[in-house]
Amino acid sequence: MGDSSEAGGGSYFPGSRSPTPGMPTSRAHSPSPRGSSPSWANSNGNNNSRINGGGIGVNGAANGYPSFGARKFLGKHLRKLSTSLPTYSPVSPAFSATPSTPYRYSSGAFGRARGLFLRRSRGTTVIMLLVAAVLFVFTYVHHNPVSSKIRGVSGGSKIVIILAANQGGGVMTWKGAKEWAVERDSIANKKAYAERWGYHLEIKDMSTKKRYAHEWRESWEKVDVIKQTMRQYPKAEWFWWMDLHTFIMEPSISLQSHIFKHLQNVTYRDINVYNPLKITHPPSKEEFFYLDEAALSPVGDDKAESINLIVPQDCGGFNLGSFLIKRSEWSERLLDIWWDPVGYEQKHMEWEHKEQDALEYLYTNQPWIRTGTAFIPQRMINSFPPGACADTPDDPRIFYDEKDRDFVVNMAGCEWGRDCWGEMAHYRQLSEKLNSGWWRKSFG
Amino acid sequence: MHFALPTRNHRSSPFLAASSVPRAYFSRRRPIYALIALVVILILFFGRSSGPSRPSDAPDTVLVLLVDRKHHSGEHIERVIENRRTYAEAHGYGLFVKSTSDYPIGPVPSGWSRIPALRHAMSTFPYTSTFFFLDSNSIIMNPELSIESHIMAPERLTKLMRRDVPIVPPDSVIKTYRHVPAERIQFVLTQDKEGLDPSAMIVKRGQWASYLLDAWFDPIFRLYGFQKAERHALEHIVQWHPTILTKLALVPQNIMNSFPSTGNSDEGAYEDGDFILNLGDCEAYGRNCEKEWKKWIAKRAVLDE
């Protein structure tokens, strides 16, 4: 369509500077540096030709620049930068001297808005900048429903928090007032966090039920719950499993900034960094000479892309109270092989911690698991309160420290002789205290 | 055509005029710069993504053979290796020969060695995509057939794949998938009337292969005491784990695992022209592997040179 109107080179629109009768179409849009006719280019300085770009260059060809090679274009560009930058300013007074074109500043809402934009005064500029700043703060920095939505759309919705509620409920225990309070606090905590950052939150009922026809897979349901959640959120990438007795202490920290943006730096592949289970790693070259290089390396292939599972370790080994798993073929296989009837038959009495022990077993015995697994220092996502890991009460790698503002507390094992409700209330209040104040709540 | 107002793309249009990119940038052709830029981008891209390059003499298929020096004489083992070597040389395949006792499998039947042997072959031939494990009691009867055109080419495999058949005949609940495309298959083997037969199997290199082999070789299965050791362990994982079943294809027995005819018209009985003859459990009491081998190898088709 542009061509057809240009083809009639002689047609004269109100906006065109001058008619160029008989101009060949291909030359019509001159990028010439001296494209603007000398008569008014001189009076207006460089600002004009810069602002108006090629649109006013119609005279160029007529002025005797018939050839426009690529070199010319680039040359023009460079010259423009050097000559016009220092003098150019959006509020340059020279601009007001521009002979106004009838089309550009013609009446009508559009024309007026455009006029305002181009001929704004210093005051208008300041106001516009202020509005932009406020908008930016409101949509990106401040915490409110709108900014959460934006965060969700721009990546947050790729993260799903799976909260395991009601563990062992139904058969093993009867919920009292305290248990309800713990559950309420824990859920509210995750809900607020997920809303703040635009993540999905999926609360899963883990009560003990006979769900499987073939076997009484008592509370071996972690795997099935993760698989089910992955199906529910087909676009999500990372899944963060959290037990009920966890509390996010620092809701102002996003998972992206805390972990995913620097996956390689916050995780470690070589379990020897912290190895309470004393797993031989890497597999010994004498016995496992048949494995490939990556499987025999202590760090696998050491690429961030190959990290599919991020597990913290406590004093007793892997801890699945708070861990991350990525949707991938690798995890699909892990979730498939994790529960196996032969393994279950032989080991379910021995594997007290069920999936957790099974994962430790798989990690030890199936080399492909090692190449996809990374560990994360426990206090990054799973700090313990003083009561847990009672055998090593002084280990600085394990316990929550208020001064370091640890991200998450996991009151692991509080249901066995400790006071879950008391601990939860303590950490909730501590988190509120640490994150109190209008500023922290809104912008932290 | 002439309109009352200029079109959006016309030179007088305010949309264009305010643009920081000159209109001419889009309307003019500048092939040299575009070409140079493209080449630079391609060099950067491929220069980074390709690691150590593939040596030109790397075979695309490797035969894996495990010999049993405990039960077979050195002379017989030489014959077996010779059978494989002629075939491999004719098609440009690699040959990977190890002894069953080379692998630390623990106190379990030697058949388990095939799993670490496959893993070993994969780490020894890092640029090979297809690995063909063939039991030492099998004879390549028709060396004309190449693994690619006879079995693995997707068009061919699509026709061969046995879909919706029970993993363990005649009536196990788990059946091969009906709609898995041949391109996705990573593991090809046959089935006899008792179940899956891992004495001839083709495995494609990849993460999935490591998963299959590691899961299959897990001590939990190895030491469980399955009646038929690795055979039953394989049947177990195939039937319980869909991520394994979905990459597996069963092909008719006479494609790569015919057995000597017993006189009855059994399915899978060897016929002239079949690729492979599997003598089966010829170490059993009352049989003699070497004699049977000699008898059958005489019927082997000879390669035209």
Side-chain angles (χ1 to χ4, degrees):
Chain A
M1 54 171 197
D3 282 343
S4 61
S5 54
E6 279 162 19
S11 62
Y12 179 58
F13 298 113
S16 47
R17 285 263 166 218
S18 65
T20 49
M23 268 269 303
T25 305
S26 58
R27 300 277 180 256
H29 296 255
S30 160
S32 160
R34 280 155 285 182
S36 45
S37 65
S39 58
W40 55 269
N42 291 341
S43 61
N44 297 329
N46 289 316
N47 312 331
N48 260 316
S49 48
R50 185 179 165 75
I51 289 167
N52 293 331
I56 52 155
V58 282
N59 288 341
N63 285 352
Y65 297 92
S67 152
F68 302 96
R71 178 192 303 266
K72 236 181 195 146
F73 165 67
L74 284 182
K76 171 223 165 186
H77 216 87
L78 292 176
R79 189 133 33 103
K80 267 272 147 22
L81 279 178
S82 57
T83 53
S84 66
L85 262 185
T87 54
Y88 175 71
S89 145
V91 286
S92 161
F95 193 82
S96 56
T98 313
S100 67
T101 46
Y103 177 74
R104 186 156 291 139
Y105 304 122
S106 62
S107 55
F110 178 75
R112 241 178 288 135
R114 207 181 157 73
L116 186 71
F117 184 76
L118 289 176
R119 290 182 299 184
R120 56 185 179 258
S121 66
R122 196 175 292 271
T124 332
T125 312
V126 169
I127 289 171
M128 282 172 77
L129 280 175
L130 264 179
V131 168
V134 167
L135 259 177
F136 175 77
V137 166
F138 184 77
T139 49
Y140 286 101
V141 184
H142 185 257
H143 295 290
N144 57 61
V146 175
S147 65
S148 291
K149 269 272 176 313
I150 290 173
R151 284 191 194 103
V153 170
S154 59
S157 62
K158 290 207 173 281
I159 297 170
V160 178
I161 302 174
I162 307 174
L163 179 62
N166 219 356
Q167 266 164 333
V171 174
M172 312 304 275
T173 51
W174 198 252
K175 258 200 243 178
K178 283 187 172 180
E179 281 76 22
W180 282 111
V182 165
E183 188 163 313
R184 204 176 49 230
D185 276 1
S186 177
I187 291 175
N189 171 246
K190 274 74 175 189
K191 217 174 208 164
Y193 181 72
E195 261 167 31
R196 179 176 201 151
W197 291 106
Y199 305 152
H200 298 288
L201 173 65
E202 193 61 36
I203 301 165
K204 291 292 184 190
D205 177 20
M206 300 293 287
S207 55
T208 310
K209 276 182 206 147
K210 185 168 165 60
R211 286 191 185 138
Y212 303 93
H214 55 269
E215 196 87 52
W216 176 259
R217 277 162 67 172
E218 189 185 282
S219 64
W220 268 77
E221 286 140 10
K222 206 166 264 182
V223 172
D224 294 278
V225 166
I226 297 172
K227 278 196 228 170
Q228 186 196 12
T229 315
M230 284 186 171
R231 277 196 299 273
Q232 268 175 284
Y233 297 92
K235 285 184 185 156
E237 189 185 3
W238 279 99
F239 296 80
W240 184 17
W241 176 282
M242 299 192 86
D243 276 354
L244 184 67
H245 295 141
T246 53
F247 202 88
I248 300 170
M249 297 297 284
E250 301 296 329
S252 59
I253 299 174
S254 74
L255 284 176
Q256 288 100 323
S257 68
H258 193 52
I259 297 171
F260 298 130
K261 265 189 205 150
H262 17 247
L263 210 49
Q264 279 288 70
N265 301 334
V266 297
T267 59
Y268 57 96
R269 304 291 280 263
D270 185 354
I271 195 175
N272 295 312
V273 170
Y274 179 63
N275 193 355
L277 292 168
K278 309 229 165 15
I279 293 171
T280 312
H281 186 81
S284 78
K285 285 211 168 61
E286 287 71 45
E287 197 183 341
F288 295 95
F289 58 90
Y290 53 84
L291 294 177
D292 54 86
E293 215 176 295
L296 286 174
S297 149
V299 291
D301 64 3
D302 207 20
K303 288 180 184 150
E305 305 90 77
S306 68
I307 298 178
N308 294 285
L309 176 72
I310 305 178
V311 186
Q313 296 192 89
D314 62 28
C315 55
F318 295 17
N319 188 299
L320 295 187
S322 161
F323 71 98
L324 298 144
I325 186 163
K326 184 168 86 175
R327 177 200 304 285
S328 66
E329 290 196 326
W330 187 95
S331 352
E332 213 177 296
R333 290 166 198 152
L334 171 69
L335 293 170
D336 191 15
I337 204 80
W338 207 329
W339 189 86
D340 180 275
V342 168
Y344 182 79
E345 183 198 328
Q346 293 183 77
K347 301 282 191 178
H348 73 280
M349 297 301 281
E350 184 188 322
W351 287 347
E352 253 177 64
H353 299 285
K354 303 175 174 96
E355 293 96 337
Q356 196 169 291
D357 291 333
L359 182 65
E360 287 169 357
Y361 175 86
L362 289 173
Y363 179 87
T364 313
N365 289 291
Q366 297 192 11
W368 72 279
I369 305 257
R370 299 195 189 199
T371 53
T373 306
F375 300 96
I376 188 161
Q378 188 183 354
R379 285 176 53 198
M380 288 289 289
I381 57 170
N382 199 28
S383 305
F384 272 4
C389 271
D391 296 339
T392 53
D394 302 319
D395 196 324
R397 291 168 293 194
I398 295 176
F399 299 102
Y400 177 81
D401 191 336
E402 197 183 315
K403 281 187 241 78
D404 293 338
R405 305 295 290 269
D406 287 2
F407 183 38
V408 170
V409 175
N410 176 8
M411 287 139 255
C414 66
E415 65 270 45
W416 315 114
R418 295 186 354 240
D419 176 11
C420 287
W421 178 72
E423 287 183 17
M424 183 70 83
H426 167 73
Y427 284 108
R428 192 196 63 225
Q429 282 157 11
L430 181 60
S431 171
E432 276 165 12
K433 190 185 97 191
L434 292 172
N435 293 292
S436 61
W438 165 84
W439 178 258
R440 278 202 153 275
K441 269 191 196 133
S442 308
F443 298 102
Chain B
M1 279 190 287
H2 291 250
F3 298 107
L5 287 171
T7 58
R8 196 183 162 89
N9 284 339
H10 191 262
R11 59 181 179 273
S12 63
S13 161
F15 295 106
L16 294 175
S19 161
S20 62
V21 181
R23 172 72 179 143
Y25 185 78
F26 300 106
S27 66
R28 292 202 56 78
R29 291 166 297 159
R30 45 195 94 260
I32 294 171
Y33 284 88
L35 206 68
I36 291 172
L38 192 72
V39 167
V40 167
I41 289 169
L42 284 179
I43 287 173
L44 282 177
F45 186 73
F46 285 105
R48 292 186 58 175
S49 60
S50 66
S53 61
R54 183 180 197 275
S56 54
D57 59 343
D60 55 8
T61 304
V62 164
L63 295 188
V64 181
L65 170 68
L66 273 182
V67 294
D68 184 351
R69 297 195 189 275
K70 221 183 272 173
H71 293 98
H72 295 157
S73 69
E75 207 185 327
H76 177 66
I77 287 170
E78 272 315 305
R79 277 196 288 269
V80 177
I81 294 176
E82 187 50 37
N83 178 251
R84 304 294 192 269
R85 188 178 292 132
T86 20
Y87 176 67
E89 276 168 7
H91 293 275
Y93 297 159
L95 180 59
F96 183 80
V97 184
K98 289 283 164 190
S99 172
T100 47
S101 55
D102 288 347
Y103 298 98
I105 54 172
V108 292
S110 64
W112 282 101
S113 294
R114 73 193 66 211
I115 303 167
L118 267 169
R119 260 268 204 184
H120 196 188
M122 286 176 181
S123 64
T124 314
F125 292 89
Y127 300 101
T128 299
S129 64
T130 309
F131 293 84
F132 181 33
F133 175 86
L134 190 56
D135 196 88
S136 64
N137 289 341
S138 292
I139 312 172
I140 296 173
M141 296 295 281
N142 186 355
E144 296 275 336
L145 300 172
S146 87
I147 290 169
E148 178 66 17
S149 65
H150 181 52
I151 302 168
M152 290 309 279
E155 319 81 65
R156 170 78 173 158
L157 193 54
T158 308
K159 288 184 207 133
L160 295 179
M161 283 169 71
R162 301 176 60 218
R163 298 166 190 274
D164 203 28
V165 295
I167 300 300
V168 180
D171 53 3
S172 82
V173 195
I174 307 296
K175 298 177 176 176
T176 51
Y177 289 117
R178 251 177 281 182
H179 303 296
V180 175
E183 287 81 4
R184 234 179 270 167
I185 294 301
Q186 307 267 303
F187 186 34
V188 176
L189 76 171
T190 63
Q191 181 195 48
D192 60 20
K193 59 181 186 297
E194 283 168 1
L196 300 181
D197 187 356
S199 55
M201 50 185 180
I202 301 171
V203 188
K204 290 278 214 178
R205 154 188 304 286
Q207 303 240 307
W208 184 86
S210 308
Y211 159 59
L212 166 78
L213 298 171
D214 290 353
W216 187 5
F217 198 58
D218 191 302
I220 270 195
F221 303 133
R222 229 185 318 153
L223 304 170
Y224 184 60
F226 282 112
Q227 198 191 355
K228 287 205 172 171
E230 81 284 354
R231 249 185 105 139
H232 281 175
L234 179 63
E235 282 169 9
H236 169 82
I237 57 170
V238 165
Q239 294 187 84
W240 277 95
H241 301 294
T243 49
I244 291 179
L245 180 58
T246 182
K247 306 266 185 192
L248 167 144
L250 292 180
V251 296
Q253 249 185 300
N254 61 0
I255 291 298
M256 57 181 212
N257 202 19
S258 309
F259 58 88
S261 172
T262 50
N264 312 323
S265 57
D266 291 318
E267 202 188 320
Y270 176 78
E271 285 168 24
D272 285 343
D274 277 1
F275 184 26
I276 281 157
L277 174 76
N278 182 3
L279 298 175
D281 191 15
C282 61
E283 289 99 349
Y285 183 74
R287 294 180 67 181
N288 185 325
C289 286
E290 298 188 22
K291 259 190 194 165
E292 288 182 33
W293 179 281
K294 278 182 193 156
K295 180 186 130 197
W296 282 101
I297 197 107
K299 301 183 181 176
R300 173 178 170 267
V302 183
L303 273 175
D304 318 329
E305 288 306 324

